[in-house]
Structures are given as structure tokens and as C-alpha cells.
């Protein structure tokens, strides 16, 4: 689900405040890599791919689609926007009920032509191997954007290859070619080795087994022990206990991956993890850290999860010996300086994305709180599960909550729309530099908006949490005076009923 996330260098910011001037800084090599990662047409601007895997396509319920908006000097534009399904010319297969095209998304230049490609999981695909085998496909980037595609791999019956959280991309062989990392048997890593040909052929594959009967919930790549090799990090749950979470990692060895290692807590037990994660050097010590969002609460495992109420985020520092769970730090909405109040069912920690959101050179955490209740002074819970997003400040001492920034909801000034029951604003979040100014722009998905049709918001960035005044209006979109944009199925020309647009983004 996440590939090479958390690679934004200094000078990355997201729009979440009201006044001030931009202070862009020069992009470093990590930022350049991140830009290429999601620049499908090679124009230097990050593009946005957002999924609606539950959408009806050609009358087939839950066949799924992926919408793509391209970046420009003025940010994301609807000009040239595309919607991809398995009925799109050049994309293999055909839309069928329950396929879930877009179950997971990632991006990388798989064929080495200088353009980022879109990697798409189709977790519900049925094949000759059986039901719900799943499928991984690629839509190829080029000078004119995404076009054409290839099937890369399918699974066995009930593998659900390419399902949510079970797809990431990274050079785990350290040979200069990105590899696609998927999940077989619900818990074993299946590494498809690059380079990839336009036919879908690739350089072989390796299965890295998990000795536990676990279920992978999310994946990311990074370098958690600072040896210059690509590692894979996973969030898992125990198949026998829904609420039992663990964090595991597979260290790169120069040609592939070592067997996985469990992250242990201060008591010597497996550290209670979560459902989503990201990897990046939050404290700038040269080792990538793991940030884990645990949105569930109200279960037995709360007793083993400090600050579980309402959901929490864990920061696990990387070291020369790998991730150190003993030194982990935990935050929820009751932690000092963290906006909001921890309430059961808030789902704080739903999706996590790393980036320097205020231009101070430190990676911060953007996360969703889709279960947040909103309302009026006389009825503060008038709109249950309306949702919010929160940013936590990264520092030299890790992720402590100190210096954290404000909550953004549909009730925040200049944000289009109105908070309503069940919107689930913040179910998915994304950072990418859509206007090429060196600052990461934010996107937020609310799949529950308008009775589960779904909606997406994008926020133009300025340094130090400052909203950009003015901005060039994009045709056929809702543009606030501050450069915030929102769009849904009407703009895309897709079937709205039950689409749940905004379920996930490509990293």
C-alpha cells in the first residue's frame, strides 16, 4: 500500500492554517525521488491517483475505478483528468462485480523509461486459479500521462493478491530496479523482481514466508538500520485475534530480504502495532523510523496498548540494530499538545503519511480521525463520524506531540462542504508536490460523503501551515479562495451510488 513513503526532505509543507507567506527551500535528492515516484507524465509535478474500489462500473457492482488528476504549476488540474477501470482501453481484463480495481495503489518507474507508472491491486479478481485470487496490474506512464497496461501477477484462490495494505514498491534487491512487493497466503511476502517489461514480464520472484498465521494489514519500505539497503516493514494482526496487532520488518541483505523480525516492547513482548504505517527519518539521525497508526479501540488488546483510547500513533525509532520498540513513543488525542480529545471510536491514527509539513526540516505526521464527532456549541455530537485530519510535529526527540498543529475538518474556514454524519473525512490521506514548489500538498478522502458516494479534498501548500490566498480556479471543481479544491463523482463522470471515492491514494 505504501512505497518509499516518508521521503520528503526539508521544505515540505501542507495547508492547514490561515495567513503568511510561502518560504520554499531547495528540494533535496530525496524530494526529487519522491516527485519522480508519482509524476506520471514527467513534467516535474506530482500527480494524484485516488481509488474507488467499491464503485459500480458498467453496471458491475464493486468493480472499482482509479481517478487521476495531473499536477501543474498551479497545482492539481482537471484538464486531462482520467478514470481507469478494467474496461479502459489498454488495461487488461474486464470490469466484473466484486473485482475491487484500486484495492491498493502505489507508484514507481517500473520499466525505467523516466516516467512513474501506476501499480494497481485488484484484490477481488477471480481467475482460473479460483475465487478472490487477486491481481496486480500496471498502467504505464509516459509523456502524455498514463496509458496502456499489463497484468503482472495473480494469486491462488482466496489470496486476494493486491488487496488493501498488501502492496508496496521498493528496490529490495538493491540493483537499481524497483521491485513490487505483494502478499501471498495472507502473510507471506511475494517479491516480484524488476526490471519490468511493457508486456508485464519481470525478473523472477521470491517468496519470503512468515512463520505465524498472521494477516498483513499494511506495508512500507525504507532503511530502518541505516545500512543503505532497502528494508520492508509490515503491520500485521493475529489471525486468531482480530484486535492483536504486531509490527514486523524484513531487513534487506543486498540481494533480497532476510526473514522477518518482530518489534518488541519494553516488557519483552511483541509491541502492539496497528493497521497503517509509514517509514521515514523523523528525528534525522540517519535511520528511518516506523510510524504506526492504531485506529481501533475498545478491545481486549487495549490493555497491552498504552493510550489506546480513541486510537493512537506509535513512533518506533530506527537504529543500527533495527527498529527499537523499547524506545517507542505513543500519542493519542489526550496527549499534551495534540489537538482534540480522545474519545472511543474516533479512529485517530487512520492512515499515516510522513512529510515536512511546516518547512522546518523535520518530518511530521499527517493522519486521519474519521470517527471524530462534530457539531455545534449546543450539540457537539450533532454529526457523528464526520471526521477530521491532524498533523503531529516531528522533532529531534521524536514524535512527542510538542509543536503539533491544528485539526482540519469540513467545518474549518475555507474548506468546501459541510460536516455531516458518517462522512468519515480523513479515512485516507496523501502528500505530494502537485505544483512543483518543493512543498507537499495534502489530499484527504471522505468515502462516506453524500451517502457513501465519496469525495476528495486537496490543499495547496504554503510554508508554516499557511493557506494560500487566491489561486487559479480549476474548471468544473469547487475551489475555495484559499486554493482548497474538492471533487467527486460528478466531476469524474462516474457512477456515484456506493462508489466510496477517497478510499485510498497511491503513495
Amino acid at each position: 500500500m505504501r512505497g518509499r513513503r516518508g521521503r520528503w526532505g526539508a521544505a515540505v509543507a501542507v495547508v492547514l492554517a490561515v495567513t503568511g507567506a510561502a518560504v520554499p527551500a531547495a528540494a533535496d535528492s530525496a524530494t526529487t525521488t519522491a516527485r519522480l515516484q508519482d509524476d506520471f507524465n514527467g513534467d516535474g509535478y506530482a500527480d494524484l491517483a485516488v481509488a474507488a474500489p467499491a464503485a459500480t462500473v458498467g453496471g458491475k457492482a464493486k468493480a472499482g475505478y482509479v481517478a487521476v488528476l495531473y499536477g501543474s504549476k498551479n497545482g492539481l488540474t482537471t484538464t486531462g483528468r482520467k478514470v481507469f477501470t478494467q474496461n479502459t482501453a489498454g488495461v487488461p481484463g474486464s470490469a466484473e462485480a466484486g473485482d475491487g480495481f484500486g484495492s491498493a495503489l502505489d507508484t514507481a518507474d517500473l520499466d525505467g523509461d523516466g516516467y512513474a507508472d501506476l501499480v494497481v491491486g485488484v484484490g477481488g479478481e477471480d481467475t482460473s486459479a479460483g475465487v478472490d485470487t487477486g491481481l496486480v496490474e500496471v498502467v504505464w506512464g509516459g509523456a502524455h500521462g498514463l496509458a496502456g497496461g499489463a497484468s503482472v501477477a495473480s494469486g491462488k484462490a482466496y489470496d486476494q493478491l493486491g488487496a488493501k495494505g498488501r502492496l508496496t514498491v521498493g528496490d529490495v534487491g538493491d540493483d537499481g530496479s524497483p521491485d513490487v512487493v505483494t502478499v501471498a497466503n495472507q502473510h507471506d511476502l511475494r517479491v516480484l523482481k524488476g526490471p519490468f517489461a511493457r508486456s508485464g514480464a519481470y525478473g523472477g520472484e521470491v517468496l519470503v514466508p512468515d512463520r505465524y498465521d498472521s494477516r498483513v494489514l499494511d506495508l512500507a519500505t525504507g532503511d530502518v538500520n541505516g545500512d543503505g539497503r532497502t528494508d520492508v516493514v509490515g503491520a500485521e494482526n493475529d489471525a486468531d485475534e482480530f484486535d492483536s496487532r504486531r509490527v514486523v520488518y524484513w531487513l534487506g541483505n543486498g540481494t533480497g530480504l532476510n526473514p522477518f523480525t518482530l518489534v518488541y516492547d519494553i516488557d519483552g513482548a511483541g509491541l502492539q502495532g496497528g493497521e497503517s504505517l509509514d517509514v521515514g527519518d523523523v528525528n534525522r539521525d540517519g535511520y528511518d523510523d516506523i510510524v504506526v497508526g492504531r485506529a481501533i479501540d475498545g478491545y481486549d488488546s487495549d490493555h497491552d496498548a498504552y493510550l489506546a483510547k480513541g486510537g493512537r500513533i506509535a513512533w518506533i525509532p530506527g537504529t543500527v540494530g533495527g527498529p527499537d520498540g523499547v524506545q517507542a513513543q505513543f500519542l493519542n488525542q489526550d496527549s499534551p499538545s495534540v489537538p482534540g480529545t480522545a474519545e472511543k471510536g474516533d479512529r485517530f491514527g487512520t492512515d499515516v503519511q510522513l512529510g515536512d509539513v511546516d518547512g522546518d526540516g523535520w518530518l511530521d505526521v499527517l493522519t486521519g480521525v474519521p470517527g471524530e464527532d462534530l457539531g455545534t456549541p449546543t450539540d457537539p455530537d450533532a454529526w457523528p463520524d464526520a471526521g477530521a485530519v491532524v498533523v503531529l510535529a516531528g522533532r529531534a526527540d521524536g514524535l512527542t506531540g510538542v509543536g503539533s498543529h491544528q485539526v482540519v475538518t469540513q467545518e474549518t474556514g475555507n474548506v468546501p462542504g459541510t460536516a455531516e454524519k458518517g462522512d468519515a473525512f480523513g479515512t485516507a490521506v496523501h502528500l505530494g508536490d502537485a505544483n512543483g514548489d518543493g512543498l507537499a500538498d495534502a489530499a484527504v478522502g471522505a468515502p462516506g460523503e453524500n451517502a457513501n458516494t465519496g469525495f476528495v479534498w486537496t490543499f495547496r501548500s504554503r510554508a508554516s501551515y499557511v493557506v494560500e490566498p487566491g489561486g487559479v480556479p480549476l474548471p468544473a471543481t469547487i475551489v475555495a479562495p484559499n486554493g482548497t479544491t474538492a471533487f467527486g463523482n460528478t466531476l469524474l463522470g462516474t457512477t456515484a451510488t456506493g462508489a466510496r471515492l477517497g478510499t485510498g491514494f497511491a503513495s
Side-chain angles (χ1 to χ4, degrees):
M1 179 174 168
R2 305 297 189 201
R4 299 167 318 287
R5 298 179 63 192
R7 296 298 187 174
W8 290 100
V12 179
V14 67
V15 176
L16 291 179
V18 199
T19 58
V23 189
D28 63 12
S29 59
T31 302
T32 302
T33 300
R35 284 163 133 179
L36 175 62
Q37 176 185 326
D38 48 11
D39 181 6
F40 302 127
N41 57 4
D43 62 359
Y45 305 106
D47 307 316
L48 181 73
V50 57
T56 296
V57 176
K60 305 297 184 181
K62 298 184 179 180
Y65 72 77
V66 178
V68 176
L69 271 64
Y70 292 97
S72 73
K73 66 179 180 179
N74 297 314
L76 290 171
T77 173
T78 58
T79 302
R81 66 186 181 275
K82 296 288 186 180
V83 175
F84 294 92
T85 75
Q86 287 186 293
N87 286 346
T88 300
V91 177
S94 58
E96 299 168 312
D99 278 352
F101 183 82
S103 302
L105 299 173
D106 211 333
T107 62
D109 181 9
L110 294 184
D111 59 353
D113 65 352
Y115 300 96
D117 308 307
L118 179 64
V119 187
V120 183
V122 194
E125 181 81 18
D126 297 339
T127 70
S128 59
V131 175
D132 288 345
T133 61
L135 181 68
V136 176
E137 297 188 328
V138 180
V139 183
W140 302 109
H144 301 291
L146 293 168
S151 292
V152 175
S154 61
K156 299 178 296 185
Y158 303 108
D159 252 5
Q160 296 181 322
L161 197 75
K164 180 181 179 181
R166 297 175 183 170
L167 178 67
T168 191
V169 184
D171 183 10
V172 298
D174 293 296
D175 59 1
S177 297
D179 308 306
V180 175
V181 182
T182 63
V183 178
N185 306 317
Q186 310 289 323
H187 52 70
D188 299 331
L189 293 191
R190 182 179 170 188
V191 181
L192 315 178
K193 302 176 67 175
F196 289 75
R198 287 280 176 135
S199 64
Y202 51 91
E205 59 181 77
V206 176
L207 189 71
V208 186
D210 183 337
R211 68 176 180 266
Y212 295 111
D213 184 23
S214 54
R215 298 292 181 267
V216 171
L217 303 175
D218 202 6
L219 291 172
T221 56
D223 181 6
V224 295
N225 63 351
D227 64 355
R229 294 170 174 169
T230 301
D231 312 312
V232 178
V233 179
E236 298 184 340
N237 81 298
D238 189 318
D240 296 324
E241 299 180 56
F242 162 79
D243 60 307
S244 179
R245 302 288 192 252
R246 61 170 66 100
V247 182
V248 300
Y249 60 95
W250 296 260
L251 291 177
N253 57 31
T255 59
L257 298 172
N258 291 334
F260 86 92
T261 303
L262 189 65
V263 175
Y264 294 95
D265 65 16
I266 196 169
D267 296 320
L271 185 144
Q272 274 286 337
E275 305 79 49
S276 61
L277 55 79
D278 197 358
V279 174
D281 189 2
V282 173
N283 60 354
R284 293 173 59 182
D285 63 355
Y287 307 99
D288 280 349
D289 312 315
I290 305 172
V291 176
V292 183
R294 183 184 189 273
I296 66 164
D297 67 337
Y299 295 91
D300 290 344
S301 60
D302 288 3
H303 298 296
D304 299 319
Y306 177 59
L307 296 180
K309 183 178 181 181
R312 79 171 190 186
I313 288 177
W315 172 74
I316 306 168
T319 72
V320 68
D324 185 357
V326 174
Q327 300 299 318
Q329 297 171 354
F330 306 96
L331 299 169
N332 72 358
Q333 286 188 286
D334 281 343
S335 298
S337 301
V338 176
T341 301
E343 300 166 310
K344 184 177 179 180
D346 279 352
R347 289 185 284 155
F348 175 78
T350 296
D351 207 5
V352 289
Q353 179 100 67
L354 290 177
D356 179 5
V357 300
D358 53 9
D360 65 355
W362 303 95
L363 291 177
D364 310 304
V365 179
L366 173 65
T367 190
V369 198
E372 186 77 39
D373 297 345
L374 301 176
T376 66
T378 57
D379 187 3
D381 299 320
W383 308 303
D385 298 337
V389 294
V390 173
V391 177
L392 306 170
R395 297 159 53 90
D397 53 354
L399 196 66
T400 66
V402 175
S404 293
H405 305 289
Q406 71 188 76
V407 175
V408 173
T409 75
Q410 288 189 72
E411 295 301 295
T412 301
N414 296 320
V415 175
T418 302
E420 299 167 307
K421 176 182 178 181
D423 282 349
F425 180 88
T427 294
V429 297
H430 175 76
L431 292 174
D433 184 8
N435 62 350
D437 63 356
L439 310 176
D441 306 307
V444 178
E449 178 78 14
N450 296 336
N452 291 322
T453 65
F455 227 68
V456 176
W457 287 256
T458 68
F459 299 89
R460 185 95 47 89
S461 296
R462 295 292 291 266
S464 300
Y465 267 80
V466 177
V467 170
E468 178 178 7
V472 178
L474 305 179
T477 64
I478 304 168
V479 181
N482 61 0
T484 303
T485 303
F487 64 91
N489 288 275
T490 299
L491 169 69
L492 300 174
T494 48
T495 300
T497 303
R500 294 187 61 79
L501 173 64
T503 296
F505 296 100
S507 299

